[in-house]
Amino acid sequence: MAYKPQYGPGTSIVAENRRKYMDPAHKLEKIRDVTDEDLVLIMGHRAPGSAYPTAHPPLAEQQEPACPVRKMVTPTDGAKAGDRVRYIQFADSMFNAPSQPYERTYLEAYRFRGIDPGTLSGRQIIECRERDLEKYAKDLVNTELFDPARCGIRGATVHGHSLRLAEDGMMFDMLQRCILDKKAGVVKYVKNQIGEPLDKEVKVGKPMDEKWLKAHTTIFHSLVGVPFRDDKEYVEYTQRIHSLRTKYGFMPTE
Amino acid sequence: MTDAIYPQIRIVPERLLNPDRVEKLMNLIATTEGVRRILLNGQRLPATVPYGPARGMENPHPMRKTIKVGDQELELQVHVGTILLELENRDPLPAIRAACDEVFAELSYSIKEGRFMKSEPSLADYAKYGPDADKDIIGMADPKSKSGPVILQGLK
């Protein structure tokens, strides 16, 4: 029988969402339409429309050593062209943000190629070749994995994940990269991810409402969402892993 | 300085507060009799980007505003999240609760009693204020910053 990944335990909506986002067979729902140019502006690695700077000559032009692994693995577009490695980093609020760092890393590993994710408690960075990055960033921002108010694109000074929200429902950001336009109800980025002011505002759409967030979150929260302890299966699984890895050094048998 | 221990309370609203709401609450609390010291705590909002590739650039932030408490202008340096108060005694508590009810309206909040303010000088306090520092000043402003605490006109 062919191996079928289970992605994760749990019976709650949070666990269900975690599995759904990780499963490459599940097509992520497209919610907003941030253009390529806008994303390039927010990331701030190159001017929109400019050529991709390269780190090495295209693979077709350079002599590759005879290597069976290189023959087996097809290079991504960015690797083929010799692009630089660049990054996008996200901070997710613990107040029902659709994604969270571990979830991001898992789903990226299942869905994308040629990436180097870095997972921290309140932020997650993904590094890859520049043109691949732009393609992946579009998926990460335009789909149900992102919420303009509860997720932030932040290269430096990322603090906000574990803080209370501001009065208007936005996650705290010391550099205030994005602001909520109250008249239009739209979130717009006024600085790029490292905090340099942008020449033009970049709109990333309306913040989603509480009901939507609760239905799409992958974070347990005992006050505003689904408490972890309510998901018995998840608790049992976590306890089992904890117990096994504690006993591992002695005699790893059940 | 007597050794009396004054009651202290901590007000924690559900959200980080906008400057106008802080101003409204501060004006109500500052006019309440029996409040000795007020401390606004929250996430710091520096005037320039402190680190990262954009270090040193201007950092305009809508939450860093100057508010007016009584006759005194006060520049907020934090996004206010917690308000600590030291009282003469427990008498002003109902008035403070009423002020919170009025200002927070749709936001929930909690008030706790305990010891929340710095009681002993730290090494940085010692370096700034010396061995005979006034204990009322300790913990009221960051000892490493050039700004000091704001003194409001009392009601007595």
Side-chain angles (χ1 to χ4, degrees):
Chain A
M1 204 175 79
Y3 170 70
K4 200 166 163 278
Q6 295 178 23
Y7 301 111
T11 51
S12 57
I13 180 79
V14 173
E16 183 59 41
N17 288 336
R18 287 182 179 189
R19 283 193 291 269
K20 209 166 69 178
Y21 298 158
M22 276 188 234
D23 181 4
H26 167 78
K27 195 168 182 304
L28 295 169
E29 188 189 344
K30 194 170 173 204
I31 292 191
R32 56 194 73 78
D33 202 12
V34 181
T35 62
D36 291 341
E37 189 198 334
D38 288 347
L39 266 175
V40 169
L41 280 172
I42 295 178
M43 290 195 283
H45 298 310
R46 67 182 180 106
S50 64
Y52 291 98
T54 53
H56 59 78
L59 291 184
E61 289 175 21
Q62 65 179 21
Q63 289 291 318
E64 291 266 71
C67 165
V69 176
R70 285 178 204 231
K71 276 190 191 130
M72 239 158 43
V73 181
T74 325
T76 61
D77 291 345
K80 239 185 244 168
D83 288 352
R84 304 176 301 179
V85 170
R86 286 294 174 266
Y87 69 91
I88 187 167
Q89 182 166 245
F90 293 92
D92 301 288
S93 172
M94 61 177 195
F95 286 99
N96 286 340
S99 297
Q100 35 96 342
Y102 271 84
E103 174 69 22
R104 280 186 187 279
T105 297
Y106 274 121
L107 74 91
E108 283 159 7
Y110 279 117
R111 287 171 184 272
F112 305 147
R113 291 185 62 224
I115 52 159
D116 178 8
T119 324
L120 298 103
S121 56
R123 61 188 160 120
Q124 193 260 8
I125 187 169
I126 165 172
E127 293 176 23
C128 62
R129 304 287 188 145
E130 202 163 356
R131 76 188 73 194
D132 301 334
L133 175 70
E134 283 167 20
K135 201 168 72 193
Y136 300 154
K138 235 180 147 186
D139 276 354
L140 293 172
V141 172
N142 281 336
T143 60
E144 55 189 318
L145 301 175
F146 186 81
D147 173 61
R150 309 288 164 97
C151 302
I153 305 171
R154 305 178 178 186
T157 330
V158 295
H159 195 38
H161 156 79
S162 59
L163 300 179
R164 279 167 283 163
L165 302 170
E167 280 187 33
D168 56 8
M170 299 286 288
M171 178 170 52
F172 172 82
D173 182 3
M174 190 173 89
L175 303 186
Q176 200 78 17
R177 275 158 274 229
C178 52
I179 47 177
L180 178 67
D181 184 340
K182 279 197 181 134
K183 262 189 202 158
V186 171
V187 175
K188 49 194 190 185
Y189 274 78
V190 291
K191 293 180 183 174
N192 67 13
Q193 62 173 343
I194 56 162
E196 292 166 342
L198 291 171
D199 296 334
K200 68 165 202 168
E201 291 166 349
V202 173
K203 294 196 174 83
V204 288
K206 288 187 178 177
M208 308 307 279
D209 57 43
E210 280 307 323
K211 201 176 150 208
W212 187 92
L213 287 167
K214 267 192 181 173
H216 287 80
T217 186
T218 52
I219 302 185
F220 289 105
H221 197 294
S222 57
L223 294 177
V224 296
V226 181
F228 177 63
R229 286 178 192 189
D230 283 6
D231 193 336
K232 295 277 182 294
E233 190 181 306
Y234 223 121
V235 173
E236 190 192 331
Y237 172 81
T238 311
Q239 285 174 342
R240 177 164 174 260
I241 297 291
H242 176 74
S243 148
L244 285 180
R245 60 181 286 175
T246 308
K247 291 172 191 160
Y248 184 73
F250 304 102
M251 181 73 82
T253 50
E254 280 189 89
Chain B
M1 179 78 196
T2 60
D3 287 334
I5 291 183
Y6 296 101
Q8 291 179 357
I9 59 171
R10 180 172 68 181
I11 305 169
V12 186
E14 180 192 354
R15 298 256 166 128
L16 302 177
L17 300 175
N18 284 353
D20 47 349
R21 213 187 279 259
V22 176
E23 185 175 61
K24 215 168 146 194
L25 182 67
M26 281 303 101
N27 278 307
L28 288 175
I29 288 177
T31 49
T32 309
E33 217 164 302
V35 178
R36 294 185 80 234
R37 301 196 285 168
I38 306 172
L39 195 56
L40 299 177
N41 275 350
Q43 296 298 316
R44 189 163 166 72
L45 303 170
T48 54
V49 179
Y51 50 83
R55 183 178 176 174
M57 285 181 100
E58 284 286 301
N59 180 28
H61 200 294
M63 298 301 155
R64 196 180 52 245
K65 265 192 187 158
T66 303
I67 61 171
K68 201 167 176 196
V69 183
D71 299 332
Q72 197 63 243
E73 297 229 316
L74 163 70
E75 205 205 333
L76 288 179
Q77 295 175 9
V78 293
H79 195 169
V80 178
T82 313
I83 297 152
L84 308 183
L85 301 178
E86 187 175 80
L87 312 173
E88 300 275 358
N89 48 46
R90 300 182 77 237
D91 295 347
L93 263 175
I96 288 166
R97 235 175 248 282
C100 291
D101 285 338
E102 184 188 329
V103 173
F104 293 140
E106 77 282 5
L107 295 181
S108 64
Y109 68 94
S110 70
I111 292 186
K112 274 189 182 144
E113 270 188 74
R115 302 293 295 164
F116 302 112
M117 290 179 180
K118 206 183 215 178
S119 52
E120 291 299 321
S122 66
L123 188 67
D125 289 317
Y126 184 85
K128 174 139 182 175
Y129 303 116
D132 303 317
D134 180 358
K135 281 203 170 176
D136 284 351
I137 297 291
I138 299 296
M140 296 312 285
D142 178 7
K144 287 174 189 163
S145 94
K146 284 184 182 128
S147 59
V150 175
I151 297 176
L152 301 172
Q153 192 57 48
L155 294 169
K156 280 181 185 169

